[in-house]
């Protein structure tokens, strides 16, 4: 969990309950029940390597309406696909990014075996997102 300490983000030593949601959960999440159970944050998958997900905007709106304190988005980038295209599509200036730092989920079956080349591709994605949005993703 990360908490805001303007202008930086720092690790929180208190455990916090949160949710990582994607298109698999759809848009009918019972956010009020989540808040009642102690949810303090939620991140929604807004991009999946091959395209944006409409459900993320609705999920963020639902979380905010239920007063989830912190919301954000993440991209599941596919390291073996065109990273420039993925970064370009995900960095839509009109997109709602929420309150939390942007997150990149960078995985693909078998990709970890490539080590240094995979790390170089991740660094590419991080730098290009940072350049386009002025915010370094985690």
């Amino acid at each position: 969990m990360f908490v805001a300490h303007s202008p930086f983000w720092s690790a929180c030593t208190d455990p916090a309950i949160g949710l990582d949601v994607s298109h698999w959960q759809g848009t009918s999440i019972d956010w009020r029940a989540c808040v009642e159970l102690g949810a303090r944050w939620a991140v929604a998958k807004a991009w999946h390597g091959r395209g944006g997900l409409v459900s993320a905007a609705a999920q963020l709106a639902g979380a905010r309406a239920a007063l989830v304190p912190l919301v954000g988005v993440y991209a599941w980038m596919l390291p073996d696909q065109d990273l420039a295209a993925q970064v370009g599509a995900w960095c839509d200036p009109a997109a709602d990014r929420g309150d939390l730092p942007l997150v990149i989920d960078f995985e693909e079956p078998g990709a970890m075996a490539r080590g240094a080349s995979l790390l170089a591709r991740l660094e590419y994605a991080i730098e290009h997102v940072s350049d386009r949005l002025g915010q370094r993703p985690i």
Side-chain angles (χ1 to χ4, degrees):
M1 170 62 190
F2 290 85
V3 291
H5 292 290
S6 186
F8 303 103
W9 295 83
S10 64
C12 176
T13 56
D14 242 353
I17 296 172
L19 295 102
D20 168 348
V21 298
S22 73
H23 61 287
W24 296 110
Q25 287 77 40
T27 57
S28 59
I29 298 166
D30 188 347
W31 289 107
R32 292 198 194 288
C34 295
V35 170
E36 289 172 9
L37 290 171
R40 304 283 301 146
W41 57 270
V43 293
K45 180 167 47 170
W47 179 261
H48 178 98
R50 295 176 186 92
L53 302 170
V54 176
S55 60
Q59 290 167 336
L60 290 182
R64 283 192 176 111
L67 304 178
V68 174
L70 296 168
V71 298
V73 296
Y74 72 96
W76 181 0
M77 292 191 174
L78 303 174
D80 293 332
Q81 304 294 322
D82 182 349
L83 288 178
Q86 291 180 74
V87 168
W90 189 46
C91 293
D92 175 357
D96 181 0
R97 291 186 187 78
D99 316 300
L100 295 169
L102 296 170
V103 176
I104 294 177
D105 181 355
F106 200 70
E107 62 181 287
E108 192 166 272
M112 294 303 288
R114 295 197 315 271
S117 67
L118 183 65
L119 183 58
R121 293 186 58 75
L122 176 57
E123 288 172 348
Y124 172 92
I126 289 170
E127 291 307 315
H128 282 77
V129 169
S130 298
D131 289 347
R132 296 222 20 191
L133 299 177
Q135 181 187 58
R136 189 166 179 82
I138 56 173

